[in-house]
Amino acid sequence: MKIAKHLIIIVLLLFGVGCYESNNITGSDDVDEYSGAEFTITEKVVSSSRLTAKGTVKNTSNETYYGRWYVEGDFYTDGTYTFKLGGDNYLITYSLAPNESTGWELIFQSSLYEESDYPDFAVKNLRAYHD
């Protein structure tokens, strides 16, 4: 009986760990978006285990973006934007004054997909926010 209880606990723990993908929540309404964020995607990289998008964000507003803010975006299989793979966010720990730019990097990886199957992946819904 004791072994069965331990086995059940182990199975439940393994199941919980197996379902865990990421602690990033993308697309939440429970954040404050910065206005005036102008995004440029400068590079997209495909590997067998991940999709990476790199770029810049420029603060075109009259207000400073203060430290601990994020760049966020969604990954799609291609430029038709009909099948969303998931999303990511990138933490920036320094301020960005009006008319300043900085770089960002978003990474998508999942046990559900073979990332190399999506050489034409696209990124959309980019935003800058703080919580």
Side-chain angles (χ1 to χ4, degrees):
M1 188 71 151
K2 207 174 197 183
I3 294 173
K5 284 183 184 179
H6 285 93
L7 185 59
I8 290 171
I9 291 171
I10 291 170
V11 168
L12 290 174
L13 286 173
L14 289 174
F15 180 73
V17 170
C19 291
Y20 181 80
E21 280 291 327
S22 171
N23 62 354
N24 297 330
I25 299 172
T26 56
S28 175
D29 288 334
D30 196 22
V31 296
D32 295 318
E33 284 189 51
Y34 280 120
S35 64
E38 185 178 289
F39 294 95
T40 303
I41 297 172
T42 58
E43 183 179 6
K44 296 191 316 183
V45 178
V46 178
S47 74
S48 62
S49 62
R50 65 198 236 172
L51 305 174
T52 304
K54 295 180 181 182
T56 61
V57 57
K58 180 177 182 178
N59 178 358
T60 64
S61 75
N62 294 323
E63 296 182 25
T64 298
Y65 300 174
Y66 288 101
R68 289 206 56 84
W69 57 283
Y70 300 83
V71 169
E72 172 182 90
D74 295 323
F75 285 77
Y76 291 81
T77 56
D78 57 38
T80 64
Y81 304 106
T82 55
F83 191 89
K84 186 185 295 189
L85 296 166
D88 189 28
N89 57 40
Y90 180 79
L91 171 64
I92 298 174
T93 59
Y94 48 87
S95 298
L96 194 67
N99 295 311
E100 287 184 333
S101 297
T102 193
W104 53 265
E105 176 180 71
L106 299 177
I107 297 170
F108 172 78
Q109 53 192 114
S110 171
S111 60
L112 293 176
Y113 306 103
E114 180 67 36
E115 284 80 356
S116 61
D117 289 343
Y118 306 104
D120 299 320
F121 80 93
V123 176
K124 186 174 145 180
N125 303 325
L126 291 164
R127 67 179 181 163
Y129 70 90
H130 62 98
D131 49 11

